[in-house]
Amino acid sequence: MRNHGEVKRGWATSRRLGIVLGVPGLILVVAIAVLVRWGTRWTIPRASVEGSGYELLAHWDGAGLPSGPFERPIGIAVTPRGDLYVTDARKRVAHLSATGDVIGEWGREGDGPGEFSNPVGVAVAPDGSVFVSDYDQDRVQKFASDGRFLLEFGSSGSEPGQFNAPAGLAVDASGFIYVADFYNHRVQKFRSDGTFQSIIGHPGRLGDGALHYPTGVQVTPDGQLLVADAYNYQLQWFDREGHPLRRVGYHLFWLWPRPVSSRKGFSVPTGTAVGPDGLIHVADSGNHRIVMLSGEGKYLADWTIPDARPNVYSPEKVAVSPDGSTIYATDLAANRLLVLSIVHPGRSSGGGKR
């Protein structure tokens, strides 16, 4: 995403607060914030269940794709059959089987039907159609499963139905499309034909429903909307009507997204995936890890990329297999997909596709 400098600005803001207020004043402000519960949750509540985790099975570089291997892959979606669609910087959508075999690809550079400038989000509808958001062109395109162009919607702006860098997107069981409208700090809901339905969330750093550069959306099995509120360093849940329900992972004043381990907070969560068992998987890109949460948002486990590049936020997006056994993550820093099996109590490892 283009706004990863926000973290550095947060640190700069914290230093300015110390200079302006002085140490006693800053301590007083922090104390007041704690008293009013103003953005002071540092940890993700831990679930009582132990023994969950991830095991790395493979990584795919897309070497068999017609126009070349993966180049900064970002978006990923899994179909009900288990095959995958991936967007990358080659301005295309790659189509892979559940075992990593190439099925095909489509797209090229341009602003016409079926063309892209910066395809980021990808989602599969119940009827098998594929939606792709273009971060630079402020539009969403709809395709048949074989890449045949069907329609497009959106334009540049901040009015309802317009976008300013559409990022992640999702489609629910009724065919409604949800788009994370990055620079407009909101999520927009559309009907299956691309007509505008409603706005979810509002710009802000404080309180339920406030969004700050959201990058990903996901529909949970019970129909709630889960938003990766990246630069508020949290996840937020909304109900079917768009009312905020709960959130986890935010930081003190949003100024100290410190590197963390175990169950402490997030540093720029950019994508989520929800399995059929309700488990939530989070691309915690600033911490270079994937985090597993219960359906209620409680910490279960995490897995960190062992060879991560410290100055590049990755993984960006995650997707889960239809049977809930495998996680696929786009590691744009290393130009690859990561394939991990999901392990939790009552399920043995090794269920993923190699």
Side-chain angles (χ1 to χ4, degrees):
M1 298 297 140
R2 292 185 299 209
N3 200 58
H4 283 171
E6 183 72 13
V7 172
K8 293 181 179 178
R9 289 197 291 274
W11 282 100
T13 304
S14 67
R15 289 195 296 267
R16 287 196 297 272
L17 274 174
I19 293 172
V20 173
L21 297 174
V23 174
L26 189 57
I27 292 174
L28 177 61
V29 171
V30 171
I32 294 172
V34 171
L35 288 174
V36 300
R37 299 176 59 81
W38 184 35
T40 54
R41 174 173 290 173
W42 285 92
T43 61
I44 306 168
R46 181 185 290 275
S48 59
V49 179
E50 299 289 343
S52 301
Y54 299 103
E55 294 181 0
L56 180 66
L57 297 177
H59 53 79
W60 302 337
D61 61 8
L65 288 163
S67 58
F70 289 125
E71 182 179 340
R72 295 179 61 82
I74 294 184
I76 187 167
V78 175
T79 74
R81 300 186 308 274
D83 47 322
L84 299 88
Y85 294 101
V86 182
T87 62
D88 76 349
R90 294 190 188 273
K91 308 178 193 309
R92 67 181 174 185
V93 178
H95 190 185
L96 305 177
S97 74
T99 55
D101 297 322
V102 174
I103 298 174
E105 67 174 33
W106 73 80
R108 62 183 181 182
E109 185 171 8
D111 56 8
E115 297 176 336
F116 304 109
S117 175
N118 189 5
V120 170
V122 59
V124 179
D127 64 0
S129 57
V130 182
F131 291 85
V132 181
S133 62
D134 197 306
Y135 190 82
D136 291 345
Q137 294 180 354
D138 294 326
R139 65 173 176 167
V140 173
Q141 297 187 69
K142 180 181 180 180
F143 301 89
S145 59
D146 60 0
R148 178 169 47 89
F149 173 82
L150 298 176
L151 61 85
E152 67 175 81
F153 58 91
S155 61
S156 299
S158 57
E159 296 298 317
Q162 296 181 324
F163 300 120
N164 190 351
L169 68 165
V171 186
D172 69 16
S174 300
F176 287 103
I177 306 128
Y178 303 84
V179 183
D181 193 2
F182 186 71
Y183 281 113
N184 283 327
H185 309 292
R186 64 188 181 184
V187 172
Q188 295 198 70
K189 181 178 181 180
F190 297 84
R191 302 177 186 90
S192 59
D193 62 357
T195 55
F196 171 79
Q197 175 77 13
S198 61
I199 290 174
I200 297 168
H202 58 87
R205 310 303 302 273
L206 173 63
D208 295 335
L211 300 174
H212 195 58
Y213 301 104
T215 55
V217 289
Q218 187 66 227
V219 180
T220 66
D222 59 0
Q224 294 179 2
L225 188 69
L226 176 60
V227 179
D229 189 9
Y231 287 94
N232 274 333
Y233 315 109
Q234 65 182 2
L235 305 182
Q236 289 206 60
W237 284 257
F238 296 81
D239 66 17
R240 297 172 188 268
E241 287 72 44
H243 303 121
L245 296 173
R246 62 188 183 280
R247 52 195 172 122
V248 297
Y250 51 99
H251 289 269
L252 180 65
F253 299 137
W254 319 274
L255 302 179
W256 293 285
R258 60 183 182 178
V260 294
S261 61
S262 186
R263 61 194 175 94
K264 296 179 181 177
F266 295 115
S267 180
V268 193
T270 47
T272 63
V274 184
D277 52 9
L279 288 180
I280 299 167
H281 309 277
V282 185
D284 187 14
S285 66
N287 286 317
H288 312 291
R289 65 176 183 165
I290 299 168
V291 180
M292 184 190 302
L293 304 177
S294 70
E296 296 74 35
K298 294 184 178 181
Y299 172 88
L300 290 169
D302 63 79
W303 180 87
T304 301
I305 298 175
D307 55 350
R309 289 172 55 186
N311 60 334
V312 180
Y313 288 179
S314 190
E316 280 283 340
K317 304 292 183 187
V318 289
V320 62
S321 63
D323 65 0
S325 69
T326 307
I327 278 290
Y328 305 94
T330 52
D331 184 6
L332 88 168
N335 300 314
R336 64 189 179 183
L337 296 187
L338 300 168
V339 185
L340 300 96
S341 64
I342 301 168
V343 182
H344 61 83
R347 175 180 295 172
S348 60
S349 64
K353 311 293 191 301
R354 293 183 183 271

